[in-house]
Amino acid sequence: MDTTTIVLLLAAIVTVSIVIIVLSQMRERARIERARKITAQEDAYNRANRLLTEIPGQYLTADLKLLLIKRMEEACAELAGLKSNLPVKEWQKSAAELKTQIVEKRDTTTPVKIDSAEKSNYVKELLQNLFKMIEAMHKSGRIDSATAKKNLKYVLFLVHKTHADLHVFQARDYVRQNQIRKAIHAYHLASTEMGKSRDNPLAMKAVKSFRTRIQELEAMSAEGKESPQGESKLDREWDTFLHDDEWKKKADYDD
């Protein structure tokens, strides 16, 4: 075997080795990228599902629920295309059933009281994550600008409502303890929070109701009266603020 043949043979061996290494690296990169995409879509599904199940039921409108289900369905479609080993078909079936219930107004809503700073902060964190998710859906073209704007504005309103919930709970507690000045301060804080959503009619009606309650308590304090037993009319109404037709009528018809 002459020198030229040996050189060519060695060159061929080196070339084949390089091709094998490159192909191996490409397959590994493809495997890593596929795993990354599967993890990302699984996280997207779990994040949307968590928001749907953990945000207090009274906060989620049908539109927000359907947006969350839309994100879950999109994640499932991506996972199906990636042929993951996750129970995608079960997730898709569950999402479809829940979507039907929401559209037909058969889904159940369980109100949750915001009665501690910890709970208020946790719900606020969930709402902030919901806000980011809607923004991401808009940027990626999954929803149009009008849908994004409407829902983002409502989520901001819910953040303010969460803080107001805590202040109302504290105010009630102060009234029960006959600490009227502290109760008045707590209602002022609740009014300030709702006032941040000035373009929401429900929020403005809540502000008016808080001011009325503050006037009642100020009159009670000036006369040296003790707080009456039981909840006030405002407190009873506040518990059903987001799903009571009475508040909606106030927002629509009251001047």
Side-chain angles (χ1 to χ4, degrees):
M1 186 178 293
D2 58 24
T3 304
T4 302
T5 303
I6 293 173
V7 170
L8 290 174
L9 183 60
L10 290 174
I13 292 172
V14 170
T15 301
V16 170
S17 298
I18 291 173
V19 169
I20 291 173
I21 292 171
V22 170
L23 289 175
S24 177
Q25 289 177 338
M26 288 176 63
R27 282 198 297 269
E28 181 63 14
R29 281 198 292 267
R31 185 191 67 78
I32 293 172
E33 179 62 14
R34 176 176 174 274
R36 185 194 67 78
K37 288 181 178 179
I38 288 175
T39 299
Q41 293 304 323
E42 182 184 9
D43 287 346
Y45 175 88
N46 288 333
R47 188 159 48 247
N49 188 46
R50 177 190 172 214
L51 294 174
L52 185 61
T53 56
E54 295 188 19
I55 291 177
Q58 71 269 27
Y59 284 10
L60 290 176
T61 61
D63 285 344
L64 285 175
K65 291 177 184 177
L66 291 174
L67 268 183
L68 288 167
I69 290 175
K70 174 181 172 65
R71 187 66 192 94
M72 291 161 65
E73 289 176 332
E74 290 171 348
C76 285
E78 292 285 343
L79 288 168
L82 292 166
K83 295 180 172 56
S84 73
N85 295 323
L86 296 167
V88 176
K89 288 186 178 180
E90 293 179 17
W91 292 353
Q92 288 174 319
K93 181 180 178 182
S94 177
E97 289 174 352
L98 183 54
K99 184 176 182 178
T100 300
Q101 290 176 5
I102 293 169
V103 171
E104 296 178 356
K105 298 181 179 180
R106 293 188 290 107
D107 62 310
T108 57
T109 298
T110 304
V112 176
K113 283 191 176 183
I114 308 300
D115 53 9
S116 69
E118 291 77 13
K119 192 176 291 185
S120 176
N121 289 331
Y122 180 64
V123 173
K124 179 183 176 182
E125 178 187 338
L126 292 174
L127 292 172
Q128 288 172 335
N129 289 335
L130 176 58
F131 190 94
K132 291 176 183 176
M133 190 203 78
I134 296 172
E135 278 189 322
M137 291 179 74
H138 178 226
K139 289 178 181 178
S140 63
R142 292 187 175 96
I143 56 175
D144 58 37
S145 296
T147 300
K149 183 178 180 180
K150 181 183 76 171
N151 286 287
L152 288 173
K153 185 181 293 186
Y154 187 74
V155 172
L156 282 177
F157 161 70
L158 291 178
V159 171
H160 302 149
K161 168 71 167 57
T162 301
H163 291 302
D165 275 337
L166 177 59
H167 295 314
V168 170
F169 175 81
Q170 292 171 334
R172 291 175 177 179
D173 196 41
Y174 287 136
V175 169
R176 283 192 291 269
Q177 298 174 40
N178 206 38
Q179 299 183 47
I180 304 303
R181 298 314 305 176
K182 288 185 178 181
I184 290 172
H185 179 64
Y187 278 122
H188 270 300
L189 293 175
S191 178
T192 299
E193 284 298 329
M194 296 308 290
K196 294 176 182 177
S197 292
R198 293 188 176 279
D199 55 352
N200 187 300
L202 276 177
M204 291 300 94
K205 295 306 172 183
V207 169
K208 285 187 178 182
S209 294
F210 285 136
R211 288 173 180 170
T212 299
R213 179 58 173 156
I214 288 168
Q215 290 172 357
E216 292 173 354
L217 292 174
E218 285 177 338
M220 188 186 304
S221 178
E223 295 171 8
K225 294 181 179 179
E226 290 193 1
S227 58
Q229 296 298 314
E231 294 181 337
S232 68
K233 182 173 182 290
L234 167 65
D235 294 332
R236 290 192 300 272
E237 290 177 342
W238 185 253
D239 286 337
T240 56
F241 178 72
L242 292 177
H243 52 276
D244 192 335
D245 289 339
E246 189 62 31
W247 279 96
K248 293 180 175 63
K249 289 176 183 176
K250 286 183 180 183
D252 290 337
Y253 304 118
D254 192 18
D255 292 328

